[in-house]
């Protein structure tokens, strides 16, 4: 009878035991010795659904279990109808873990910190930005004009607000109207970290992009695809697509390029940074794949730092009279990923070459030691 009584009591209290064991706890682990401040973390949506199958995408909040405060988030689609990832922005101290949970509720308003768009009113520019820096690249309408340029352009800014639309509307973005400007010169170079085939030791520039698609547009990450028509790269017919994404708080873009060509052998490529005639600070680290440049100061406008971090093996780095170049190889129809971006001293966050090179090295360590996500 005691045995039956114990069984009865067990099943009587089982619902209470199950309720007390909260499921779906999200753990974000920082196993490195670097504190991650306002980092962006991606969790596969299918993982979220496995723990929260009835989640209402219009009515849920993510809570820090220690502080009971909401965590900003974005539902990432990657250009697809279905949600692909839950993006979170949070800080995690070195060698520590942050625990989160998902609950029903109305999320707090999230500040827009990234933005990207096609700009047909300015000769098919494509421009993008975050709360730190802005960029643009050039489209079909500007080809064969004296304004054409091959590489990525930098728009410096000292505001955390989105400024692209305001600058295009004003039309005088080469003047600092209070939040920064465009004084970066690209010309016939790779500019601030574009990539191109490097066949027979010669850069084989494509035409500008002719197709585009916005994949996600903020508030924490914006990403888009650029499509380039077939061109002759030193005897090799090449097609290319580039997927560029920029996260809140980052000085650097993530760039994923796919080259398609009819050759079983890998094709050499280069990532380049335009070099100014005056003296600047150059740093080349082939072992880590970090290429940094602190430009000579322009008296009226300040100083721009540009940097590239490659995640693939580097064949070599070199400096010619026009550009800093990092040489790598790509295989047919296989992605190559790297990071490129810039900083401006008058934004008052990174104000000298030492700080810029320190930022690039820290970013490299963060890429090599990503935050670990566990849901249980």
């Amino acid at each position: 009878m005691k045995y039956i009584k114990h069984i009865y009591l067990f099943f009587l209290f089982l619902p209470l035991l199950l309720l007390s064991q909260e499921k779906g706890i999200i753990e974000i682990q920082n196993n490195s010795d670097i504190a991650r401040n306002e980092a962006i973390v991606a969790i596969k949506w299918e993982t979220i659904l496995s723990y929260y199958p009835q989640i209402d995408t219009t009515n849920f909040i993510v809570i820090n279990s220690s502080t009971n405060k909401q965590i900003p988030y974005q539902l990432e689609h990657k250009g697809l109808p279905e949600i692909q990832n839950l993006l979170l922005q949070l800080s995690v101290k070195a060698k520590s873990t942050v625990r989160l949970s998902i609950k029903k509720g109305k999320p707090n308003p999230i500040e827009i910190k990234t933005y990207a768009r096609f700009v047909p009113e300015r000769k098919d520019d494509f421009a993008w930005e975050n709360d730190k820096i802005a960029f643009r690249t050039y489209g079909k309408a500007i080809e064969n004009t004296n304004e054409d340029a091959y590489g990525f352009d930098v728009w410096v800014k000292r505001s955390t607000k989105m400024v692209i639309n305001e600058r295009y509307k004003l039309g005088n973005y080469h003047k600092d109207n209070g939040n920064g400007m465009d004084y970066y010169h690209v010309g016939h170079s790779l500019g601030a970290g574009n990539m191109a085939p490097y066949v027979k030791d010669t850069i084989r520039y494509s035409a500008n992009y002719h197709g585009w698609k916005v994949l996600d547009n903020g508030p924490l990450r914006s990403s888009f695809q650029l499509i380039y028509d077939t061109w002759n790269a030193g005897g090799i017919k090449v097609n290319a697509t580039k997927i560029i994404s920029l996260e809140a708080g980052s000085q650097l873009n993530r760039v994923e390029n796919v080259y398609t060509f009819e050759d079983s052998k890998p094709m050499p490529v280069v990532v380049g940074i335009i070099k100014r005639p005056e003296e600047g600070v150059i740093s080349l680290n082939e072992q880590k794949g970090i290429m940094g440049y602190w430009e000579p100061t322009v008296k009226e406008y300040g100083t721009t730092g540009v940097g590239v971090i490659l995640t693939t093996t580097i064949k070599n780095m070199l400096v010619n009279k026009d550009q800093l170049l990092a040489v790598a190889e790509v295989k047919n129809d296989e992605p190559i990923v790297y990071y490129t971006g810039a900083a401006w001293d008058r934004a008052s966050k990174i104000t000298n070459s030492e700080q810029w090179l320190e930022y690039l090295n820290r970013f490299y360590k963060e890429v090599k030691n990503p935050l670990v996500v566990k849901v249980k």
Side-chain angles (χ1 to χ4, degrees), residues 10 14 29 88 96 111 118 161 179 210 218 259:
F10 173 77
L14 181 59
Q29 296 179 358
L88 305 172
S96 66
E111 181 182 358
F118 172 59
K161 304 298 183 182
N179 59 31
H210 287 182
Y259 292 95

Side-chain angles (χ1 to χ4, degrees), residues 32-237:
S32 74
D33 57 1
I34 302 173
R36 302 294 300 275
N37 298 316
E38 297 190 334
I40 305 298
V41 179
I43 306 174
K44 289 187 179 298
W45 188 247
E46 61 185 24
T47 300
I48 298 298
L49 288 178
S50 67
Y51 287 91
Y52 298 94
Q54 304 301 320
I55 190 169
D56 180 352
T57 56
T58 65
N59 188 43
F60 78 91
I61 55 177
V62 182
I63 297 293
N64 184 316
S65 300
S66 298
T67 65
N68 207 35
K69 293 183 178 180
Q70 289 191 30
I71 300 294
Y73 68 81
Q74 174 184 335
L75 301 178
E76 185 181 39
H77 288 259
K78 293 190 171 184
L80 300 172
E82 302 81 14
I83 300 168
Q84 302 299 304
N85 291 314
L86 173 65
L87 302 180
L88 305 172
Q89 185 179 40
L90 73 167
S91 299
V92 190
K93 295 178 181 178
K95 301 290 185 180
S96 66
T97 299
V98 171
R99 291 174 177 82
L100 314 172
S101 61
I102 293 178
K103 299 178 180 179
K104 288 184 179 181
K106 183 179 180 181
N108 294 332
I110 300 175
E111 181 182 358
I112 295 174
K113 297 182 178 181
T114 68
Y115 179 66
R117 81 170 177 98
F118 172 59
V119 191
E121 70 269 28
R122 219 308 293 194
K123 299 182 180 179
D124 294 352
D125 282 359
F126 199 100
W128 67 102
E129 66 180 314
N130 68 359
D131 49 348
K132 300 291 185 182
I133 195 77
F135 305 91
R136 70 168 166 174
T137 192
Y138 302 90
K140 185 175 182 179
I142 205 171
E143 289 176 350
N144 302 314
T145 73
N146 59 7
E147 295 178 281
D148 196 10
Y150 299 152
F152 294 151
D153 190 18
V154 178
W155 282 15
V156 294
K157 56 188 287 189
R158 63 168 63 87
S159 171
T160 60
K161 304 298 183 182
M162 302 297 99
V163 301
I164 283 174
N165 288 338
E166 174 189 331
R167 291 189 186 179
Y168 277 114
K169 186 176 181 179
L170 290 173
N172 62 345
Y173 45 79
H174 295 293
K175 176 185 176 182
D176 188 347
N177 293 295
N179 59 31
M181 61 183 299
D182 171 24
Y183 76 95
Y184 190 82
H185 173 68
V186 177
H188 293 173
S189 78
L190 293 167
N194 200 4
M195 177 182 280
Y198 191 61
V199 180
K200 299 175 184 177
D201 295 332
T202 302
I203 302 173
R204 308 293 176 169
Y205 295 102
S206 68
N208 295 338
Y209 79 89
H210 287 182
W212 62 273
K213 181 181 180 181
V214 174
L215 306 178
D216 287 280
N217 212 352
L220 302 178
R221 177 189 287 171
S222 290
S223 60
F224 56 94
Q225 182 184 62
L226 302 176
I227 302 168
Y228 296 78
D229 291 346
T230 304
W231 77 100
N232 187 337
I236 303 173
K237 290 185 177 180

Side-chain angles (χ1 to χ4, degrees), residues 20-34:
S20 66
Q21 296 175 354
E22 188 175 4
K23 293 184 178 181
I25 295 297
I26 302 168
E27 291 187 347
I28 312 295
Q29 296 179 358
N30 181 2
N31 297 322
S32 74
D33 57 1
I34 302 173

Side-chain angles (χ1 to χ4, degrees), residues 273 281-293 306-319 324-328 357-358 360-362 364-365 368:
I273 299 173
V281 178
I282 294 173
S283 176
L284 305 179
N285 188 328
E286 291 185 4
Q287 184 177 3
K288 291 183 177 180
I290 303 174
M291 186 165 61
Y293 184 41
V306 184
V308 168
I309 301 173
L310 286 99
T311 61
T312 189
T313 302
I314 303 298
K315 293 189 68 176
N316 68 299
M317 291 181 174
L318 59 107
V319 179
L324 289 64
L325 300 173
V327 185
L357 296 177
E358 180 184 352
L360 294 175
N361 278 282
R362 183 187 180 98
Y364 168 84
K365 292 179 181 177
K368 293 295 182 180

